[in-house]
Amino acid sequence: MISKKNIIVSLLLFINSAKLYSEIDFVSYGWELFDRLSDSRITSLAQATIAYPIASAGISLVNPALSNVHNNKIGLTHQSRISGMVNSEFLGFKKSVRDSHWVSVALLYEGINSIPDTRNALLDWGNDGIFGTLDPGEGNGILDEGERLDANKIGYFSQNQFGLYGAFSRPYKRWELGLGIKLLFHTLDNHYALGTGVNIGAYRSFNKTNLGIVLHNIPSSGVLWDNGNIELTPGSLSIGLHHSLIMEKYGLEINPVCEANFVMTDRTIDSKLLFNTIPLELSGGLETIYKRKIFIRFGFYQSGSLAIGLGMFWKNIAVDYAFIIDNSVAGLDNNHLITIGLSSDWIKDKVFN
């Protein structure tokens, strides 16, 4: 029989061996798959919906405390970016568990193919471009003026990320508290990595105003590569607000949302500094709903990118569309998203009948 003492000793040996034979780095990347991918409704509101309790497939990704919002639809989202070079898929649904509780589940994928590998293609012959003259730049491993690449030695590789996300929530006093668990499988050329992370969320409603708080990657999310290296991503804090304006006479509902994201490290060049110390990223959006059937959305990101969206809702099907307008100089990230939501009950009825 394996005793508790043997288990503890084995864990200590494993941790010490990891410290001895691997390199541990703190990085500000690695979990963009879970930060970037969502459904069209969330994306068109700039993903600033951590305080907006909507029955959307991707709502638990932005705040696990909102996983209790019931939705019997299975949402599938496709996104293509940078002229089709980057393709991603998002599948989200809710699963009923005991005592009428619900668990939100999301499957995520993002892949990039045909990435040029020029590491062995450099003709490192110096500024004059002639081998053996020993002029400045020859053999320094840098592409200097006058040097070129051998096209026959350029290779190509791909990068793929697969993610699994599960979230559940429980009431506590006047708050709803949620836990989200992230699992990541990352392949880069012939290398691979496994990762895990945790998000903690809270939600509370004050009449028609809602407050959402999310701790991302707490205490830190880690990725273990096949060579033993470990990449740890520090946590961040997000705070969001939502307020509902209902005009029953006209069948309108207006929902403004905003979010402030405080990051431990300055992850993007668009981040602002609060008190010249804390990196801060702001985002917001506005959703207008007509008779609970037609949805019009706008959103803005910290980078200056804008989002617009349109949704149509029926009993057994929902269709949402989003378009991201990249206002950067390169303008590479203009892209379209479309989400199809199908009722799980309707699918079962059609399949089994």
Side-chain angles (χ1 to χ4, degrees), residues 31 42 64 98 107 109 156 163 184 210 242 245 248 251 301 304 312 328 330 348:
W31 294 92
I42 301 296
R98 61 180 181 85
L107 303 175
Y109 166 77
Y156 296 89
L184 175 69
N210 303 319
H242 159 254
L245 302 172
E248 295 182 359
Y301 291 82
M312 301 289 292
S328 66
K348 292 178 181 178

Side-chain angles (χ1 to χ4, degrees), residues 73 292-293 295 311-319 341 343:
K73 289 185 173 59
R292 305 300 303 173
K293 298 294 184 182
F295 300 74
M312 301 289 292
F313 181 85
W314 296 276
K315 180 180 179 181
N316 294 318
I317 186 172
V319 180
S343 168

